[in-house]
Amino acid sequence: MKSIKHILVPVDFGEVSANAYEYALQLAGELSASVHLLHCLPAAPVIPGNGHVVLDTVPQLHQRAKEQIADFAVAGKANARWQVSQMPEVTTSISAFGLKEGITQYVMDHEVGLIVMGTHGVQDAWDRFFGTNATFLVGKVKPPILVLPLNARYQALKTICFATGLRESDLVGAGSLRKALSVFDPQINYLHVHLPDDPQTSDGLDLFRRAFEQPRDGVEATFITTFNEDVTDGIFNYLNKHPHDLLVMIKLERGWWDRMFAHSDTRESAGVTNLPLLILGQ
C-alpha cells in the first residue's frame, strides 16, 4: 500500500455514497490528499460487429449527471465542513462505460491511492453469490478498497484489526499500511481465527506470534488467536467485544472458477461488516 495522495469515491448520489464521500473528505483532510468523485452511467449496449452503441439519450444523461455530481460535491462539503480540519481538493468525472469498467479505466488513467466505496451489505442471495461491487473490483484494480457500510462514521484510525491467515504477505501488507497511515500512529492488532481443522499446533502459533509481534520501525503490534468454526464469525465476534476503528483483510488471488464458486472470507466480510473494511490485494 503506497502513500495515499488521491482518493477515488464512486457515487450514485444515494445515501450510501453520500456517507462514503463525507468519510473520504475527512480522511483526505488528515492525509493531505485530494478526493475524486466518479459517477458511472450505465454501459451502452453492445451489438455484435458494431461494438458499443451510442444512444441519442446519452448526451442528455451525461449533462444531467454533470449537474448532479456538481451539486453532490457541494452538498458533501457543506455537510462535512465542521468535521474536516482542512477541506481537500475535490474533482468530479462522469464515465459512460458502466460501474466496473468505468472505475477500472479511471484507475488506469489516474494515480489513485485508495478507493472508498459505500455498501448496503448483503441483501439477497445474488449478493452472496456474486459479491458486492467492492469485492468484485479487488484484483481488477491495484489500489486498496475501503468498504464503508452506511452506519460507519469517520474516526481517526488509531486501532486497526488486521485479520491474518499467517502469511508472509500479511506482514508486508501491514508494514506498508502502517507507513501509509502513519499520521494516525495506529496500533495494529493481528487477529488469527483458528479453525477446527487448522494444522497449526500451539507451538506453531507461538512462533507466528513472536514473528508478528516483533517491533518494526519502532512500532509494536499484538497477535491474538481466537477459535471458531468460521473465519468471518470469528472476526466479528472478536470485534463486537473489542471495537476497532478499521478492519483490514488481504484478498488472495484466485482463478475465475474459484472467484465464482469458492467461499471467500473477504467477500463474506464485506457483506456483513459494520465498520470500515480495508481490502488489500495480495
Side-chain angles (χ1 to χ4, degrees):
M1 184 174 182
K2 299 180 180 179
S3 175
I4 300 172
K5 294 301 180 185
H6 307 287
I7 299 175
L8 174 63
V9 186
V11 299
D12 62 1
F13 312 130
E15 185 181 14
V16 172
S17 59
N19 183 60
Y21 173 38
E22 291 175 28
Y23 186 103
L25 285 173
Q26 295 177 71
L27 179 61
E30 296 293 338
L31 298 176
S32 299
S34 60
V35 174
H36 304 260
L37 299 179
L38 174 66
H39 177 68
C40 298
L41 298 172
V46 177
I47 297 179
N50 294 300
H52 288 280
V53 176
V54 179
L55 303 178
D56 291 340
T57 57
V58 169
Q60 291 91 333
L61 290 174
H62 193 277
Q63 180 58 37
R64 182 185 177 194
K66 284 181 63 177
E67 296 170 357
Q68 286 180 298
I69 201 169
D71 293 341
F72 185 87
V74 172
K77 282 185 175 182
N79 291 336
R81 66 185 183 278
W82 301 116
Q83 288 78 38
V84 179
S85 56
Q86 180 179 354
M87 188 62 69
E89 176 189 2
V90 177
T91 61
T92 62
S93 296
I94 307 295
S95 170
F97 297 106
L99 180 64
K100 292 160 187 173
E101 187 175 342
I103 293 174
T104 302
Q105 188 61 50
Y106 190 94
V107 168
M108 291 175 59
D109 296 339
H110 300 81
E111 296 181 1
V112 175
L114 176 69
I115 300 174
V116 176
M117 290 193 71
T119 179
H120 56 65
V122 171
Q123 296 188 336
D124 54 35
W126 288 110
D127 284 344
R128 291 186 180 90
F129 183 74
F130 289 109
T132 63
N133 287 319
T135 54
F136 179 88
L137 285 171
V138 176
K140 304 290 185 183
V141 295
K142 289 184 178 181
I145 298 175
L146 181 62
V147 181
L148 202 68
L150 178 59
N151 63 342
R153 297 295 180 264
Y154 177 80
Q155 296 186 76
L157 304 179
K158 293 293 187 180
T159 55
I160 298 175
C161 178
F162 197 116
T164 175
L166 305 180
R167 295 175 295 266
E168 184 178 356
S169 59
D170 294 346
L171 287 172
V172 175
S176 60
L177 173 70
R178 188 183 291 113
K179 291 179 181 178
L181 301 179
S182 60
V183 66
F184 299 110
D185 189 22
Q187 166 71 36
I188 295 183
N189 301 314
Y190 295 103
L191 175 66
H192 174 64
V193 179
H194 191 86
L195 302 175
D197 58 352
D198 196 321
Q200 290 297 335
T201 64
S202 57
D203 289 340
L205 287 174
D206 283 339
L207 288 175
F208 279 108
R209 181 190 305 278
R210 288 196 289 271
F212 278 84
E213 290 186 343
Q214 182 179 356
R216 289 174 173 80
D217 300 323
V219 179
E220 296 184 356
T222 62
F223 180 89
I224 303 106
T225 300
T226 185
F227 296 84
N228 201 289
E229 295 183 353
D230 180 81
V231 171
T232 303
D233 285 346
I235 291 172
F236 288 99
N237 285 343
Y238 172 81
L239 289 173
N240 285 337
K241 298 175 183 177
H242 308 278
H244 284 65
D245 300 316
L246 179 69
L247 170 63
V248 179
M249 300 181 73
I250 290 183
K251 192 173 191 302
L252 302 179
E253 294 182 1
R254 297 176 178 227
W256 178 87
W257 185 264
D258 284 341
R259 288 200 304 270
M260 286 294 292
F261 297 104
H263 175 80
S264 168
D265 296 318
T266 306
R267 181 169 59 192
E268 184 177 352
S269 297
V272 301
T273 186
N274 58 1
L275 79 162
L277 166 60
L278 181 64
I279 304 176
L280 306 177
Q282 189 176 25

